[in-house]
Amino acid sequence: MEKYICYKEIMNRIEATFTPTKQERERIARRLNLLSEEEMNNLYKNFTLMGIDTILEYLCEHYR
């Protein structure tokens, strides 16, 4: 799947689950933009397998 489509789907899931503030959305967006297309696809697929909490934890730990 195209990186931008994965990005939008991931952001939609995050916003629907957590209702992040503007600053949190910007921070998450910056971290997601650091991912390659392959990494973004893997992250998108992992939402179903691992859940959103694990994904957000990964983003916070690896892309500060």
Side-chain angles (χ1 to χ4, degrees), residues 7 11 24-34:
Y7 168 85
M11 287 300 291
E24 290 169 331
R25 281 193 308 273
E26 290 171 355
R27 186 174 171 199
I28 293 166
R30 281 194 306 272
R31 290 181 179 149
L32 287 174
N33 284 321
L34 294 173

Side-chain angles (χ1 to χ4, degrees), residues 7 31 35 49 52 60-61 64:
Y7 168 85
R31 290 181 179 149
L35 301 175
L49 296 173
I52 195 166
C60 291
E61 286 181 11
R64 292 182 183 196

Side-chain angles (χ1 to χ4, degrees), residues 18 43 46 49-61:
F18 292 106
L43 185 62
N46 285 332
L49 296 173
M50 299 181 342
I52 195 166
D53 291 332
T54 303
I55 300 302
L56 290 177
E57 182 179 319
Y58 169 82
L59 287 172
C60 291
E61 286 181 11

